[in-house]
Amino acid sequence: MPAPQDGPLLDDAAGRLIRPYTISNGRTRPSTAFDLLSLIMATGIEPDVPLGPEHTIALGLCEGPMSVAEIAAHLRLPAVVAKVILADLVACGAVTAHAPAFHDMPTDRSLLEAVLDGLRRQL
């Protein structure tokens, strides 16, 4: 899989050759709700609709679980544009999205104080 910077829509000197909103066909809201920490994973189902280059790269990144934020960073796109692309992939069944799991874990005050002390020593 080529790295996103090697794609036809990026130039080393000029940067992105097209505006991000053109990648999402002007859409600014994904049809599927995602959190930046939502985990995206490829299903193995081949999309029956033609995909753009960013869709193909995003699909390749999802062979293992990857967060929306990581995918956006790899694509070098704003998170909202990456969410629109991922929503397209969810709609055609190529990927699944799982909300992040948050656990109600008690905070260990001594651990937090040790981290704070370490940070203060670094400054």
Side-chain angles (χ1 to χ4, degrees), residues 72-108:
H74 281 287
L75 293 175
R76 300 168 87 186
L77 290 171
V80 69
V81 176
K83 287 179 180 182
V84 171
I85 289 169
L86 293 171
D88 292 345
L89 292 173
V90 167
C92 70
V95 300
T96 59
H98 300 283
F102 295 107
H103 302 285
D104 292 328
M105 295 176 25
T107 304
D108 183 356

PDB file of all heavy atoms in Angstrom, residues 72-108:
ATOM      1  N   ALA A  72      -7.216   9.684  10.256  1.00  0.00           N
ATOM      2  CA  ALA A  72      -7.169  11.071   9.782  1.00  0.00           C
ATOM      3  C   ALA A  72      -5.725  11.552   9.684  1.00  0.00           C
ATOM      4  O   ALA A  72      -5.347  12.215   8.715  1.00  0.00           O
ATOM      5  CB  ALA A  72      -7.980  11.971  10.715  1.00  0.00           C
ATOM      6  N   ALA A  73      -4.910  11.187  10.661  1.00  0.00           N
ATOM      7  CA  ALA A  73      -3.504  11.605  10.647  1.00  0.00           C
ATOM      8  C   ALA A  73      -2.755  10.964   9.484  1.00  0.00           C
ATOM      9  O   ALA A  73      -1.977  11.628   8.802  1.00  0.00           O
ATOM     10  CB  ALA A  73      -2.836  11.244  11.973  1.00  0.00           C
ATOM     11  N   HIS A  74      -2.989   9.677   9.248  1.00  0.00           N
ATOM     12  CA  HIS A  74      -2.327   8.996   8.133  1.00  0.00           C
ATOM     13  C   HIS A  74      -2.759   9.579   6.784  1.00  0.00           C
ATOM     14  O   HIS A  74      -1.952   9.677   5.863  1.00  0.00           O
ATOM     15  CB  HIS A  74      -2.613   7.496   8.145  1.00  0.00           C
ATOM     16  CG  HIS A  74      -1.794   6.732   9.137  1.00  0.00           C
ATOM     17  ND1 HIS A  74      -0.454   6.486   8.967  1.00  0.00           N
ATOM     18  CD2 HIS A  74      -2.139   6.171  10.322  1.00  0.00           C
ATOM     19  CE1 HIS A  74       0.000   5.795   9.998  1.00  0.00           C
ATOM     20  NE2 HIS A  74      -1.000   5.598  10.836  1.00  0.00           N
ATOM     21  N   LEU A  75      -4.026   9.946   6.687  1.00  0.00           N
ATOM     22  CA  LEU A  75      -4.536  10.524   5.444  1.00  0.00           C
ATOM     23  C   LEU A  75      -4.148  11.997   5.294  1.00  0.00           C
ATOM     24  O   LEU A  75      -4.306  12.560   4.214  1.00  0.00           O
ATOM     25  CB  LEU A  75      -6.067  10.407   5.384  1.00  0.00           C
ATOM     26  CG  LEU A  75      -6.646   9.008   5.277  1.00  0.00           C
ATOM     27  CD1 LEU A  75      -8.164   9.051   5.363  1.00  0.00           C
ATOM     28  CD2 LEU A  75      -6.212   8.344   3.985  1.00  0.00           C
ATOM     29  N   ARG A  76      -3.685  12.580   6.384  1.00  0.00           N
ATOM     30  CA  ARG A  76      -3.338  14.004   6.413  1.00  0.00           C
ATOM     31  C   ARG A  76      -4.542  14.860   6.040  1.00  0.00           C
ATOM     32  O   ARG A  76      -4.471  15.775   5.227  1.00  0.00           O
ATOM     33  CB  ARG A  76      -2.148  14.284   5.504  1.00  0.00           C
ATOM     34  CG  ARG A  76      -0.919  13.501   5.946  1.00  0.00           C
ATOM     35  CD  ARG A  76       0.168  13.526   4.941  1.00  0.00           C
ATOM     36  NE  ARG A  76       1.009  14.714   5.148  1.00  0.00           N
ATOM     37  CZ  ARG A  76       1.977  15.063   4.335  1.00  0.00           C
ATOM     38  NH1 ARG A  76       2.223  14.357   3.262  1.00  0.00           N
ATOM     39  NH2 ARG A  76       2.699  16.120   4.582  1.00  0.00           N
ATOM     40  N   LEU A  77      -5.678  14.509   6.647  1.00  0.00           N
ATOM     41  CA  LEU A  77      -6.936  15.206   6.412  1.00  0.00           C
ATOM     42  C   LEU A  77      -7.531  15.641   7.741  1.00  0.00           C
ATOM     43  O   LEU A  77      -7.288  15.012   8.777  1.00  0.00           O
ATOM     44  CB  LEU A  77      -7.946  14.273   5.722  1.00  0.00           C
ATOM     45  CG  LEU A  77      -7.680  13.893   4.284  1.00  0.00           C
ATOM     46  CD1 LEU A  77      -8.650  12.815   3.839  1.00  0.00           C
ATOM     47  CD2 LEU A  77      -7.794  15.118   3.395  1.00  0.00           C
ATOM     48  N   PRO A  78      -8.364  16.698   7.732  1.00  0.00           N
ATOM     49  CA  PRO A  78      -9.094  17.047   8.952  1.00  0.00           C
ATOM     50  C   PRO A  78      -9.968  15.866   9.393  1.00  0.00           C
ATOM     51  O   PRO A  78     -10.460  15.090   8.554  1.00  0.00           O
ATOM     52  CB  PRO A  78      -9.963  18.234   8.523  1.00  0.00           C
ATOM     53  CG  PRO A  78      -9.301  18.780   7.303  1.00  0.00           C
ATOM     54  CD  PRO A  78      -8.636  17.606   6.629  1.00  0.00           C
ATOM     55  N   ALA A  79     -10.166  15.739  10.683  1.00  0.00           N
ATOM     56  CA  ALA A  79     -10.923  14.603  11.219  1.00  0.00           C
ATOM     57  C   ALA A  79     -12.324  14.516  10.627  1.00  0.00           C
ATOM     58  O   ALA A  79     -12.813  13.420  10.338  1.00  0.00           O
ATOM     59  CB  ALA A  79     -10.997  14.693  12.747  1.00  0.00           C
ATOM     60  N   VAL A  80     -12.989  15.649  10.420  1.00  0.00           N
ATOM     61  CA  VAL A  80     -14.356  15.602   9.888  1.00  0.00           C
ATOM     62  C   VAL A  80     -14.376  15.031   8.473  1.00  0.00           C
ATOM     63  O   VAL A  80     -15.290  14.288   8.109  1.00  0.00           O
ATOM     64  CB  VAL A  80     -15.043  16.988   9.960  1.00  0.00           C
ATOM     65  CG1 VAL A  80     -14.407  17.974   8.994  1.00  0.00           C
ATOM     66  CG2 VAL A  80     -16.524  16.866   9.704  1.00  0.00           C
ATOM     67  N   VAL A  81     -13.369  15.317   7.663  1.00  0.00           N
ATOM     68  CA  VAL A  81     -13.304  14.761   6.306  1.00  0.00           C
ATOM     69  C   VAL A  81     -13.029  13.256   6.384  1.00  0.00           C
ATOM     70  O   VAL A  81     -13.650  12.467   5.661  1.00  0.00           O
ATOM     71  CB  VAL A  81     -12.235  15.483   5.459  1.00  0.00           C
ATOM     72  CG1 VAL A  81     -12.095  14.839   4.090  1.00  0.00           C
ATOM     73  CG2 VAL A  81     -12.576  16.960   5.322  1.00  0.00           C
ATOM     74  N   ALA A  82     -12.138  12.856   7.276  1.00  0.00           N
ATOM     75  CA  ALA A  82     -11.867  11.425   7.459  1.00  0.00           C
ATOM     76  C   ALA A  82     -13.127  10.697   7.928  1.00  0.00           C
ATOM     77  O   ALA A  82     -13.401   9.577   7.484  1.00  0.00           O
ATOM     78  CB  ALA A  82     -10.733  11.224   8.458  1.00  0.00           C
ATOM     79  N   LYS A  83     -13.912  11.340   8.780  1.00  0.00           N
ATOM     80  CA  LYS A  83     -15.161  10.724   9.250  1.00  0.00           C
ATOM     81  C   LYS A  83     -16.139  10.520   8.103  1.00  0.00           C
ATOM     82  O   LYS A  83     -16.833   9.502   8.043  1.00  0.00           O
ATOM     83  CB  LYS A  83     -15.804  11.582  10.343  1.00  0.00           C
ATOM     84  CG  LYS A  83     -15.080  11.523  11.666  1.00  0.00           C
ATOM     85  CD  LYS A  83     -15.771  12.429  12.679  1.00  0.00           C
ATOM     86  CE  LYS A  83     -15.080  12.416  14.021  1.00  0.00           C
ATOM     87  NZ  LYS A  83     -15.785  13.246  15.009  1.00  0.00           N
ATOM     88  N   VAL A  84     -16.215  11.464   7.177  1.00  0.00           N
ATOM     89  CA  VAL A  84     -17.103  11.318   6.014  1.00  0.00           C
ATOM     90  C   VAL A  84     -16.635  10.140   5.157  1.00  0.00           C
ATOM     91  O   VAL A  84     -17.447   9.315   4.723  1.00  0.00           O
ATOM     92  CB  VAL A  84     -17.151  12.625   5.188  1.00  0.00           C
ATOM     93  CG1 VAL A  84     -17.877  12.413   3.866  1.00  0.00           C
ATOM     94  CG2 VAL A  84     -17.822  13.738   5.987  1.00  0.00           C
ATOM     95  N   ILE A  85     -15.339  10.037   4.944  1.00  0.00           N
ATOM     96  CA  ILE A  85     -14.791   8.923   4.162  1.00  0.00           C
ATOM     97  C   ILE A  85     -15.096   7.590   4.847  1.00  0.00           C
ATOM     98  O   ILE A  85     -15.529   6.629   4.211  1.00  0.00           O
ATOM     99  CB  ILE A  85     -13.271   9.107   3.970  1.00  0.00           C
ATOM    100  CG1 ILE A  85     -13.011  10.267   3.013  1.00  0.00           C
ATOM    101  CG2 ILE A  85     -12.611   7.821   3.468  1.00  0.00           C
ATOM    102  CD1 ILE A  85     -11.571  10.699   2.958  1.00  0.00           C
ATOM    103  N   LEU A  86     -14.880   7.543   6.156  1.00  0.00           N
ATOM    104  CA  LEU A  86     -15.138   6.305   6.899  1.00  0.00           C
ATOM    105  C   LEU A  86     -16.627   5.964   6.921  1.00  0.00           C
ATOM    106  O   LEU A  86     -16.998   4.793   6.855  1.00  0.00           O
ATOM    107  CB  LEU A  86     -14.585   6.419   8.317  1.00  0.00           C
ATOM    108  CG  LEU A  86     -13.055   6.493   8.384  1.00  0.00           C
ATOM    109  CD1 LEU A  86     -12.598   6.822   9.801  1.00  0.00           C
ATOM    110  CD2 LEU A  86     -12.429   5.200   7.893  1.00  0.00           C
ATOM    111  N   ALA A  87     -17.481   6.976   6.975  1.00  0.00           N
ATOM    112  CA  ALA A  87     -18.926   6.729   6.925  1.00  0.00           C
ATOM    113  C   ALA A  87     -19.310   6.097   5.589  1.00  0.00           C
ATOM    114  O   ALA A  87     -20.171   5.205   5.545  1.00  0.00           O
ATOM    115  CB  ALA A  87     -19.697   8.029   7.152  1.00  0.00           C
ATOM    116  N   ASP A  88     -18.670   6.545   4.503  1.00  0.00           N
ATOM    117  CA  ASP A  88     -18.913   5.927   3.199  1.00  0.00           C
ATOM    118  C   ASP A  88     -18.531   4.450   3.223  1.00  0.00           C
ATOM    119  O   ASP A  88     -19.239   3.603   2.685  1.00  0.00           O
ATOM    120  CB  ASP A  88     -18.096   6.631   2.105  1.00  0.00           C
ATOM    121  CG  ASP A  88     -18.550   8.059   1.828  1.00  0.00           C
ATOM    122  OD1 ASP A  88     -19.661   8.440   2.256  1.00  0.00           O
ATOM    123  OD2 ASP A  88     -17.765   8.795   1.190  1.00  0.00           O
ATOM    124  N   LEU A  89     -17.395   4.154   3.866  1.00  0.00           N
ATOM    125  CA  LEU A  89     -16.929   2.767   3.938  1.00  0.00           C
ATOM    126  C   LEU A  89     -17.830   1.913   4.825  1.00  0.00           C
ATOM    127  O   LEU A  89     -18.047   0.727   4.538  1.00  0.00           O
ATOM    128  CB  LEU A  89     -15.479   2.725   4.437  1.00  0.00           C
ATOM    129  CG  LEU A  89     -14.437   3.311   3.471  1.00  0.00           C
ATOM    130  CD1 LEU A  89     -13.070   3.384   4.139  1.00  0.00           C
ATOM    131  CD2 LEU A  89     -14.376   2.506   2.183  1.00  0.00           C
ATOM    132  N   VAL A  90     -18.374   2.499   5.890  1.00  0.00           N
ATOM    133  CA  VAL A  90     -19.334   1.777   6.734  1.00  0.00           C
ATOM    134  C   VAL A  90     -20.603   1.493   5.936  1.00  0.00           C
ATOM    135  O   VAL A  90     -21.152   0.388   5.974  1.00  0.00           O
ATOM    136  CB  VAL A  90     -19.660   2.573   8.022  1.00  0.00           C
ATOM    137  CG1 VAL A  90     -20.872   1.995   8.736  1.00  0.00           C
ATOM    138  CG2 VAL A  90     -18.459   2.594   8.958  1.00  0.00           C
ATOM    139  N   ALA A  91     -21.066   2.497   5.181  1.00  0.00           N
ATOM    140  CA  ALA A  91     -22.307   2.357   4.418  1.00  0.00           C
ATOM    141  C   ALA A  91     -22.228   1.234   3.384  1.00  0.00           C
ATOM    142  O   ALA A  91     -23.225   0.552   3.135  1.00  0.00           O
ATOM    143  CB  ALA A  91     -22.652   3.678   3.734  1.00  0.00           C
ATOM    144  N   CYS A  92     -21.059   1.028   2.798  1.00  0.00           N
ATOM    145  CA  CYS A  92     -20.944  -0.043   1.801  1.00  0.00           C
ATOM    146  C   CYS A  92     -20.501  -1.370   2.427  1.00  0.00           C
ATOM    147  O   CYS A  92     -20.280  -2.342   1.709  1.00  0.00           O
ATOM    148  CB  CYS A  92     -20.025   0.367   0.658  1.00  0.00           C
ATOM    149  SG  CYS A  92     -18.287   0.508   1.067  1.00  0.00           S
ATOM    150  N   GLY A  93     -20.365  -1.405   3.751  1.00  0.00           N
ATOM    151  CA  GLY A  93     -20.047  -2.654   4.441  1.00  0.00           C
ATOM    152  C   GLY A  93     -18.581  -3.027   4.457  1.00  0.00           C
ATOM    153  O   GLY A  93     -18.225  -4.119   4.885  1.00  0.00           O
ATOM    154  N   ALA A  94     -17.707  -2.130   3.999  1.00  0.00           N
ATOM    155  CA  ALA A  94     -16.278  -2.451   3.918  1.00  0.00           C
ATOM    156  C   ALA A  94     -15.578  -2.385   5.272  1.00  0.00           C
ATOM    157  O   ALA A  94     -14.558  -3.032   5.473  1.00  0.00           O
ATOM    158  CB  ALA A  94     -15.578  -1.517   2.938  1.00  0.00           C
ATOM    159  N   VAL A  95     -16.121  -1.589   6.208  1.00  0.00           N
ATOM    160  CA  VAL A  95     -15.529  -1.480   7.547  1.00  0.00           C
ATOM    161  C   VAL A  95     -16.636  -1.469   8.596  1.00  0.00           C
ATOM    162  O   VAL A  95     -17.800  -1.203   8.295  1.00  0.00           O
ATOM    163  CB  VAL A  95     -14.655  -0.201   7.719  1.00  0.00           C
ATOM    164  CG1 VAL A  95     -13.499  -0.176   6.743  1.00  0.00           C
ATOM    165  CG2 VAL A  95     -15.483   1.058   7.607  1.00  0.00           C
ATOM    166  N   THR A  96     -16.234  -1.782   9.810  1.00  0.00           N
ATOM    167  CA  THR A  96     -17.130  -1.638  10.955  1.00  0.00           C
ATOM    168  C   THR A  96     -16.515  -0.638  11.918  1.00  0.00           C
ATOM    169  O   THR A  96     -15.295  -0.447  11.936  1.00  0.00           O
ATOM    170  CB  THR A  96     -17.351  -2.969  11.699  1.00  0.00           C
ATOM    171  OG1 THR A  96     -16.075  -3.455  12.154  1.00  0.00           O
ATOM    172  CG2 THR A  96     -18.009  -4.006  10.815  1.00  0.00           C
ATOM    173  N   ALA A  97     -17.364  -0.001  12.698  1.00  0.00           N
ATOM    174  CA  ALA A  97     -16.909   0.977  13.681  1.00  0.00           C
ATOM    175  C   ALA A  97     -17.406   0.558  15.056  1.00  0.00           C
ATOM    176  O   ALA A  97     -18.561   0.165  15.212  1.00  0.00           O
ATOM    177  CB  ALA A  97     -17.440   2.360  13.334  1.00  0.00           C
ATOM    178  N   HIS A  98     -16.513   0.639  16.028  1.00  0.00           N
ATOM    179  CA  HIS A  98     -16.862   0.299  17.403  1.00  0.00           C
ATOM    180  C   HIS A  98     -16.523   1.480  18.296  1.00  0.00           C
ATOM    181  O   HIS A  98     -15.402   2.008  18.229  1.00  0.00           O
ATOM    182  CB  HIS A  98     -16.099  -0.943  17.872  1.00  0.00           C
ATOM    183  CG  HIS A  98     -16.402  -2.142  17.042  1.00  0.00           C
ATOM    184  ND1 HIS A  98     -17.558  -2.863  17.174  1.00  0.00           N
ATOM    185  CD2 HIS A  98     -15.708  -2.731  16.037  1.00  0.00           C
ATOM    186  CE1 HIS A  98     -17.561  -3.855  16.301  1.00  0.00           C
ATOM    187  NE2 HIS A  98     -16.451  -3.791  15.596  1.00  0.00           N
ATOM    188  N   ALA A  99     -17.490   1.889  19.094  1.00  0.00           N
ATOM    189  CA  ALA A  99     -17.275   3.013  19.998  1.00  0.00           C
ATOM    190  C   ALA A  99     -16.201   2.643  21.017  1.00  0.00           C
ATOM    191  O   ALA A  99     -16.060   1.471  21.383  1.00  0.00           O
ATOM    192  CB  ALA A  99     -18.575   3.370  20.712  1.00  0.00           C
ATOM    193  N   PRO A 100     -15.453   3.638  21.466  1.00  0.00           N
ATOM    194  CA  PRO A 100     -14.421   3.345  22.470  1.00  0.00           C
ATOM    195  C   PRO A 100     -15.063   2.892  23.779  1.00  0.00           C
ATOM    196  O   PRO A 100     -16.157   3.327  24.120  1.00  0.00           O
ATOM    197  CB  PRO A 100     -13.692   4.679  22.641  1.00  0.00           C
ATOM    198  CG  PRO A 100     -14.673   5.703  22.213  1.00  0.00           C
ATOM    199  CD  PRO A 100     -15.521   5.051  21.149  1.00  0.00           C
ATOM    200  N   ALA A 101     -14.394   1.994  24.458  1.00  0.00           N
ATOM    201  CA  ALA A 101     -14.884   1.493  25.746  1.00  0.00           C
ATOM    202  C   ALA A 101     -14.254   2.304  26.870  1.00  0.00           C
ATOM    203  O   ALA A 101     -13.031   2.388  26.976  1.00  0.00           O
ATOM    204  CB  ALA A 101     -14.536   0.019  25.906  1.00  0.00           C
ATOM    205  N   PHE A 102     -15.095   2.926  27.652  1.00  0.00           N
ATOM    206  CA  PHE A 102     -14.616   3.668  28.811  1.00  0.00           C
ATOM    207  C   PHE A 102     -15.021   2.900  30.058  1.00  0.00           C
ATOM    208  O   PHE A 102     -16.161   2.499  30.214  1.00  0.00           O
ATOM    209  CB  PHE A 102     -15.222   5.079  28.843  1.00  0.00           C
ATOM    210  CG  PHE A 102     -14.782   5.926  27.693  1.00  0.00           C
ATOM    211  CD1 PHE A 102     -15.651   6.216  26.658  1.00  0.00           C
ATOM    212  CD2 PHE A 102     -13.492   6.423  27.633  1.00  0.00           C
ATOM    213  CE1 PHE A 102     -15.243   6.998  25.588  1.00  0.00           C
ATOM    214  CE2 PHE A 102     -13.070   7.198  26.570  1.00  0.00           C
ATOM    215  CZ  PHE A 102     -13.952   7.487  25.556  1.00  0.00           C
ATOM    216  N   HIS A 103     -14.068   2.700  30.913  1.00  0.00           N
ATOM    217  CA  HIS A 103     -14.321   1.958  32.140  1.00  0.00           C
ATOM    218  C   HIS A 103     -14.312   2.917  33.316  1.00  0.00           C
ATOM    219  O   HIS A 103     -13.527   3.865  33.359  1.00  0.00           O
ATOM    220  CB  HIS A 103     -13.241   0.890  32.350  1.00  0.00           C
ATOM    221  CG  HIS A 103     -13.149  -0.072  31.210  1.00  0.00           C
ATOM    222  ND1 HIS A 103     -14.073  -1.059  30.992  1.00  0.00           N
ATOM    223  CD2 HIS A 103     -12.252  -0.182  30.206  1.00  0.00           C
ATOM    224  CE1 HIS A 103     -13.745  -1.737  29.922  1.00  0.00           C
ATOM    225  NE2 HIS A 103     -12.644  -1.226  29.415  1.00  0.00           N
ATOM    226  N   ASP A 104     -15.200   2.665  34.262  1.00  0.00           N
ATOM    227  CA  ASP A 104     -15.234   3.477  35.472  1.00  0.00           C
ATOM    228  C   ASP A 104     -14.187   2.948  36.443  1.00  0.00           C
ATOM    229  O   ASP A 104     -14.481   2.152  37.327  1.00  0.00           O
ATOM    230  CB  ASP A 104     -16.618   3.436  36.114  1.00  0.00           C
ATOM    231  CG  ASP A 104     -17.660   4.124  35.262  1.00  0.00           C
ATOM    232  OD1 ASP A 104     -17.288   5.091  34.571  1.00  0.00           O
ATOM    233  OD2 ASP A 104     -18.821   3.700  35.278  1.00  0.00           O
ATOM    234  N   MET A 105     -12.954   3.384  36.212  1.00  0.00           N
ATOM    235  CA  MET A 105     -11.863   2.948  37.064  1.00  0.00           C
ATOM    236  C   MET A 105     -11.575   4.046  38.076  1.00  0.00           C
ATOM    237  O   MET A 105     -11.512   5.224  37.712  1.00  0.00           O
ATOM    238  CB  MET A 105     -10.612   2.651  36.242  1.00  0.00           C
ATOM    239  CG  MET A 105     -10.809   1.477  35.311  1.00  0.00           C
ATOM    240  SD  MET A 105      -9.422   1.117  34.197  1.00  0.00           S
ATOM    241  CE  MET A 105      -8.003   1.737  34.956  1.00  0.00           C
ATOM    242  N   PRO A 106     -11.418   3.677  39.331  1.00  0.00           N
ATOM    243  CA  PRO A 106     -11.079   4.700  40.312  1.00  0.00           C
ATOM    244  C   PRO A 106      -9.692   5.286  40.008  1.00  0.00           C
ATOM    245  O   PRO A 106      -8.806   4.596  39.529  1.00  0.00           O
ATOM    246  CB  PRO A 106     -11.086   3.952  41.641  1.00  0.00           C
ATOM    247  CG  PRO A 106     -10.928   2.522  41.279  1.00  0.00           C
ATOM    248  CD  PRO A 106     -11.490   2.358  39.901  1.00  0.00           C
ATOM    249  N   THR A 107      -9.541   6.567  40.248  1.00  0.00           N
ATOM    250  CA  THR A 107      -8.278   7.234  39.996  1.00  0.00           C
ATOM    251  C   THR A 107      -7.335   6.994  41.162  1.00  0.00           C
ATOM    252  O   THR A 107      -7.704   7.191  42.313  1.00  0.00           O
ATOM    253  CB  THR A 107      -8.508   8.742  39.814  1.00  0.00           C
ATOM    254  OG1 THR A 107      -9.456   8.915  38.766  1.00  0.00           O
ATOM    255  CG2 THR A 107      -7.232   9.455  39.468  1.00  0.00           C
ATOM    256  N   ASP A 108      -6.143   6.567  40.854  1.00  0.00           N
ATOM    257  CA  ASP A 108      -5.126   6.351  41.867  1.00  0.00           C
ATOM    258  C   ASP A 108      -4.405   7.682  42.084  1.00  0.00           C
ATOM    259  O   ASP A 108      -3.578   8.096  41.278  1.00  0.00           O
ATOM    260  CB  ASP A 108      -4.155   5.265  41.410  1.00  0.00           C
ATOM    261  CG  ASP A 108      -3.100   4.942  42.452  1.00  0.00           C
ATOM    262  OD1 ASP A 108      -3.063   5.602  43.505  1.00  0.00           O
ATOM    263  OD2 ASP A 108      -2.312   4.021  42.186  1.00  0.00           O
TER     264      ASP A 108
END
